[in-house]
Each structure stands twice: as C-alpha cells, then as structure tokens.
C-alpha cells in the first residue's frame, strides 16, 4: 500500500489550503483515509478521516467548522480543504489509511494500526 500526499505550503492566517492523499490499493474492506499532524515539539494528533465506503467522517474539535474532508472513491483519494487557517495549524500533515475508529480513539500507541504516507508541511503565518 502506497499513499501519495500532495498540497501544503505557506499561507497567511485566515487563508485556505487544500491537501490530498491518494492510496494505491485499499488494504481493508472498509477503510478510511485522512490526516494526522505533528507540530514541532508536540505529539502527533488526529485531524480528520473519511470512510471511503459511506462517507462517514471524523474531525478533531480544533478543526471542526474550518476543515472539510471529502473523497473520490474511484481514485481512492481524499481531500482536506482547510479554511480560516490559524498559526496553530502549522504542522507536518501526515496522510494515513486505517479504520475510522482509530482516528476517534487515536494515541501514538496506535501508529502501527495505520499505513502512512509522507508528510507535507503546512505553515500558517500570522
């Protein structure tokens, strides 16, 4: 399983950015694609995930109302539209695939429950 992330970059506070994640092959019958992020000096945290089969989603409280996740089932691709970005959103965003429940109950001990892609840096300037 390979995950290819794209997007990211530098944006001013209040701006928008979209990142995407394409999975080469689904390893699970009912899987989710989404993102985690890790800021310097902080632990990795779950951001958002979406079930490819039925579109159920997970959002961290810190991004609800600002980030929107969507998916294209045909291409096994998920998109994260990030709006009203804040400096505290600055982090390396990691693409992953796994069970949606693992986003909801995430802790670093669960990292082995996911397939991971490379990180993409999102920087929000104040």
């Amino acid at each position: 399983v390979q995950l290819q992330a794209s997007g990211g970059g530098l944006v001013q506070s209040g701006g928008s950015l979209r990142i995407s994640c394409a999975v080469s092959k689904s390893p699970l019958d009912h899987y989710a694609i989404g993102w985690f992020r890790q800021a310097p000096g902080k632990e990795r945290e779950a951001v958002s995930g979406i079930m490819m089969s039925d579109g159920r989603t997970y959002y961290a409280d810190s991004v609800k109302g600002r980030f929107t996740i969507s998916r294209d089932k045909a291409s096994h691709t998920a998109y994260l539209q990030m709006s009203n970005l804040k400096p505290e959103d600055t982090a390396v965003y990691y693409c992953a695939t796994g069970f949606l429940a693992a986003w909801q109950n995430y802790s670093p001990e669960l990292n082995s429950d996911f397939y991971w892609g490379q990180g993409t840096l999102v920087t929000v300037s104040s």
Side-chain angles (χ1 to χ4, degrees):
V1 176
Q2 293 183 327
L3 292 88
Q4 182 66 47
S6 60
L10 173 64
V11 64
Q12 288 188 333
S13 181
S16 298
L17 208 58
R18 190 178 83 156
I19 55 178
S20 63
C21 178
V23 180
S24 61
K25 180 179 70 174
S26 168
L28 303 168
D29 289 337
H30 298 286
Y31 67 100
I33 300 178
W35 284 268
F36 295 75
R37 67 186 181 186
Q38 189 163 15
K42 295 188 177 181
E43 285 192 343
R44 189 170 298 188
E45 62 177 351
V47 176
S48 184
I50 185 166
M51 283 288 290
M52 296 305 285
S53 58
D54 61 13
R56 280 182 291 140
T57 59
Y58 165 83
Y59 291 99
D61 288 342
S62 59
V63 306
K64 283 180 180 177
R66 300 188 297 121
F67 290 12
T68 302
I69 193 168
S70 60
R71 93 281 196 206
D72 176 23
K73 294 172 65 175
S75 62
H76 300 298
T77 302
Y79 304 93
L80 187 67
Q81 179 67 44
M82 303 181 288
S83 301
N84 191 22
L85 283 161
K86 304 175 181 180
E88 51 264 43
D89 294 316
T90 295
V92 176
Y93 284 68
Y94 293 94
C95 174
T97 183
F99 288 114
L100 188 63
W103 264 269
Q104 298 163 338
N105 302 295
Y106 177 73
S107 69
E109 288 76 19
L110 296 179
N111 281 349
S112 60
D113 289 353
F114 296 90
Y115 289 90
W116 295 95
Q118 83 279 16
T120 185
L121 178 61
V122 172
T123 304
V124 184
S125 62
S126 56

